[in-house]
Amino acid sequence: MASFRRIGLMVAAGATAVVAAASPSLAGTTATATGSFYYQDLLGGAGQLNNPTLGVCYKLPTAELSGYNDTNVNATVYLDGSCTAGGVATSPHSQVNGILFESVLFTAVH
């Protein structure tokens, strides 16, 4: 886990850009997670999302091979870029490996 975090922290700011494909539909407030979601692609490139907004689909820059959810909320990774195909949920402070995912959506823990 510690080595995965170091990789994410070394990524240049320009490489971590994401596109919010949806906007949160929370009545008047925007809820955010506390923490970061780290991801790494097949070629070793890495990035992170800091304090992501709940209910927003984040399209990642490329297909990612692994991720670490170091937030206080659930993160669901998806096989496509629009958070619709093949969702795999990860609980707070857990890792996802072995699938290629292109987007991630954060939701509150119930």
Side-chain angles (χ1 to χ4, degrees), residues 26 30-34 51-54 58 72-73:
L26 303 171
T30 302
T32 59
T34 299
N51 302 319
T53 302
L54 303 187
Y58 289 90
N72 63 335
V73 299

Side-chain angles (χ1 to χ4, degrees), residues 10 20 28 32 35 58 60 67 72 77 85-86 88 96 98 109:
M10 294 187 305
T32 59
Y58 289 90
L60 301 172
N72 63 335
V77 298
V88 176
V96 59
V109 175

Side-chain angles (χ1 to χ4, degrees), residues 32-34 52 54 69 71-75 90-93 106-109:
T32 59
T34 299
L54 303 187
N69 179 16
T71 72
N72 63 335
V73 299
N74 295 320
T90 63
S91 58
H93 311 291
F106 299 89
T107 56
V109 175

